[in-house]
Amino acid sequence: MLQLSSTLLFTAFIGYLIATLLFGGAVRGKGENTASHARFAKWALIVTLLSFAANIGYFIARWIYTGHAPVSNMFEFTTAFAMFIVAAFIVLYRMYHMPTLGLIALPVAIVIIGYASMFPRDVAPLIPALKSHWLTIHVLTTVIGEAILAISAFSSLIYLVKVVDMKKRHAERFFLGLIMYAMIVAIGFIGATVYFNTTHYEAPFTYVDKDGQAAQITYHMPPIFGMHEGEAQAEQMTPIVDMPAWINAKKLTTVAWSLLIGTVLYILLRLIARKPLAQLIQPLLSRASLPLLDELSYRSVLIGFPVFTLGALIFAMIWAQEAWSRMWGWDPKEVWALITWLYYAAFLHMRMSRGFTGKKSAWLAVIGFAIIMFNLIAVNLIIAGLHSYAE
């Protein structure tokens, strides 16, 4: 059953890639209602639905094998996040019929599934804190809310790429370029992970954890940052600097390699294209309707925000009271969940009372997704806390 789930996930991964190419064909048609455009859009949706069915199959097969909702560690949570991003995209695509959105939503899902591949796929017994029905309720509700909020950022990114003048130097061009750079870094992460996994790189260390206990860890990329009071168990590259116990140096090393490879890849692409990357994809967005993109972004936040509130705050506090006898403890994940909630609350306030629409609203939505991804990547990878069991 576990092998079946892995096969279905890989099938979904390939299917999303094919669907992205088909959506590219749908937006490159010369007319809105051309036969070519309709044919590509139809097949793109069919492939997306089939791939999503495979993704659901993975989720169900792993649930059956483990006996609980497959959201108990970072691999499971991250793949679930990608699956619900696609689910939200399918629902909104059926409502708005905007193939351009597929050029952002599906590649992001592909990258997130690739990101999940860095985490162990092994199935281990749940620790006592996770043996609760709140695991399913809290985590699934949270990830669904974040997926819907992500769609807001995707439509906003399309809006910005379409309206920002990339031929003139100004702050908006810089920040849009920064977003393109972040996307290339994500691809760099996948490349680094695949390369070092293929070469079977391993570097075992002993170290002292945050509780002062001796522990062991194995790096799967050449160590740049060393664990607290770490000592190599074999000959390999010596870490440049040791990190304090509250920082996971192994995962920080993964981030550093991703940035290094992503930066090199970004520079090469810029040299080949000889223009900003956002400017390269602007012709693909000529058919996108700006008012529709703005409405889609706003409605996604209206729907996603209350769902996220239920999952990340209300259900989370109920479970925390049950598991740790306290509703709030300023754990890093709890703090960033609160920051995310406050940000989107401010977004809705400025949208409804301050008249922040169009470009202003689009920038706010993109920043909101950056906060979600910081929580998913940086907080989980670098900062140790009570939620560190979910790795």
Side-chain angles (χ1 to χ4, degrees):
M1 188 65 72
L2 190 62
Q3 181 60 43
L4 173 63
S5 69
S6 297
T7 301
L8 289 171
L9 182 62
F10 181 73
T11 301
F13 179 89
I14 298 299
Y16 293 150
L17 179 59
I18 296 172
T20 300
L21 298 176
L22 291 172
F23 275 118
V27 301
R28 286 186 63 87
K30 295 182 179 179
E32 182 68 31
N33 298 312
T34 62
S36 174
H37 169 269
R39 185 164 55 251
F40 272 110
K42 175 183 177 180
W43 280 105
L45 179 60
I46 290 173
V47 173
T48 301
L49 291 173
L50 291 174
S51 303
F52 182 64
N55 207 334
I56 293 177
Y58 145 79
F59 193 76
I60 294 173
R62 193 172 178 93
W63 193 328
I64 294 172
Y65 182 84
T66 60
H68 57 78
V71 289
S72 62
N73 55 43
M74 278 302 298
F75 170 75
E76 294 175 346
F77 178 86
T78 307
T79 51
F81 184 37
M83 182 179 72
F84 284 112
I85 283 177
V86 177
F89 160 70
I90 291 172
V91 172
L92 292 169
Y93 179 80
R94 296 297 295 175
M95 294 172 60
Y96 292 94
H97 301 285
M98 187 179 294
T100 310
L101 189 61
L103 293 179
I104 303 294
L106 294 182
V108 170
I110 291 169
V111 169
I112 290 175
I113 293 174
Y115 169 66
S117 67
M118 72 169 286
F119 299 103
R121 302 188 182 191
D122 300 336
V123 175
L126 291 178
I127 65 173
L130 294 180
K131 293 180 179 179
S132 170
H133 61 279
W134 287 108
L135 169 67
T136 303
I137 298 172
H138 156 58
V139 181
L140 282 183
T141 309
T142 300
V143 76
I144 291 171
E146 289 182 342
I148 299 171
L149 293 172
I151 297 297
S152 173
F154 301 158
S155 57
S156 294
L157 181 58
I158 296 170
Y159 188 103
L160 292 172
V161 173
K162 184 176 173 64
V163 301
V164 171
D165 186 356
M166 300 304 297
K167 296 180 181 179
K168 297 180 180 179
R169 295 184 180 274
H170 47 78
E172 288 184 336
R173 169 180 162 168
F174 170 79
F175 286 113
L176 199 55
L178 192 62
I179 294 171
M180 296 295 111
Y181 168 73
M183 295 174 70
I184 298 301
V185 166
I187 296 174
F189 157 76
I190 296 176
T193 302
V194 170
Y195 173 77
F196 289 115
N197 284 346
T198 302
T199 58
H200 304 290
Y201 181 90
E202 290 187 351
F205 284 82
T206 58
Y207 70 100
V208 177
D209 65 18
K210 62 181 183 296
D211 298 320
Q213 303 295 318
Q216 294 184 338
I217 195 169
T218 299
Y219 283 65
H220 296 286
M221 293 183 182
I224 298 176
F225 301 98
M227 298 294 289
H228 180 58
E229 297 183 13
E231 182 178 343
Q233 299 301 294
E235 291 186 5
Q236 66 267 313
M237 184 188 300
T238 303
I240 297 174
V241 59
D242 286 344
M243 305 305 294
W246 58 274
I247 292 181
N248 190 318
K250 174 187 174 183
K251 294 181 178 179
L252 183 58
T253 293
T254 300
V255 174
W257 275 107
S258 301
L259 287 171
L260 177 62
I261 295 175
T263 299
V264 172
L265 181 59
Y266 178 80
I267 292 173
L268 289 175
L269 290 174
R270 281 298 310 269
L271 291 175
I272 294 171
R274 303 179 66 179
K275 64 174 66 174
L277 299 185
Q279 190 175 345
L280 285 177
I281 62 177
Q282 278 182 334
L284 298 176
L285 311 179
S286 59
R287 190 181 294 113
S289 168
L290 293 179
L292 191 59
L293 288 168
D294 186 56
E295 178 187 349
L296 176 57
S297 175
Y298 178 48
R299 287 183 179 272
S300 297
V301 177
L302 281 178
I303 299 170
F305 179 70
V307 177
F308 178 81
T309 301
L310 281 174
L313 292 183
I314 297 176
F315 294 157
M317 289 189 289
I318 294 173
W319 190 13
Q321 179 65 37
E322 179 184 287
W324 301 315
S325 300
R326 55 89 173 143
M327 297 185 71
W328 188 264
W330 300 104
D331 183 70
K333 289 285 288 184
E334 296 172 342
V335 171
W336 275 98
L338 178 60
I339 290 173
T340 305
W341 184 87
L342 290 172
Y343 181 86
Y344 278 103
F347 172 93
L348 289 175
H349 170 73
M350 288 186 285
R351 175 85 189 204
M352 291 186 286
S353 64
R354 300 284 182 175
F356 273 40
T357 59
K359 193 185 294 186
K360 292 180 180 179
S361 177
W363 279 115
L364 291 176
V366 170
I367 294 171
F369 184 65
I371 293 174
I372 291 175
M373 294 307 295
F374 182 86
N375 191 7
L376 178 66
I377 298 175
V379 176
N380 283 320
L381 288 184
I382 301 173
I383 304 175
L386 285 174
H387 289 75
S388 295
Y389 54 72
E391 297 179 357

